[in-house]
Amino acid sequence: VVPDGLGLHVDASSWELPPVFRWLQREGNVADAEMWRTFNCGIGFVLVVDPAAAAAIEGELDRLELGHWRIGAVVAAGDGERVRIG
């Protein structure tokens, strides 16, 4: 979905982690990085859209009564992993 040379910055504070994921991490002694790599952590699915279209798309999601929130942005990839969660 994301072209070469680009990556994703995900803002983990932009949604509330469902309690089941905190329980799973605690009881399974799972590291943060492994939680993000293995589980969706409550996101479900993601739309990657042009920032100029985001407000219109959010308006349509509101009209359809579909919960949504912005979780991050497409950024230059840089060195290392293309997905940064912070």
Side-chain angles (χ1 to χ4, degrees):
V1 170
V2 179
D4 289 341
L6 297 176
L8 301 171
H9 178 261
V10 179
D11 177 4
S13 69
S14 62
W15 77 96
E16 186 172 335
L17 188 66
V20 67
F21 293 104
R22 286 191 292 273
W23 173 85
L24 182 62
Q25 184 174 26
R26 183 183 65 248
E27 295 301 314
N29 195 28
V30 180
D32 287 343
E34 187 63 26
M35 288 296 295
W36 292 116
R37 186 173 26 260
T38 305
F39 301 104
N40 70 9
C41 293
I43 292 299
F45 67 92
V46 175
L47 300 175
V48 179
V49 303
D50 183 323
I57 291 168
E58 289 173 326
E60 185 64 11
L61 292 170
D62 286 338
R63 187 185 73 73
L64 295 169
E65 299 181 357
L66 295 171
H68 58 88
W69 53 95
R70 292 186 191 201
I71 65 167
V74 176
V75 297
D79 294 331
E81 293 192 27
R82 292 179 60 195
V83 177
R84 292 183 293 258
I85 301 172

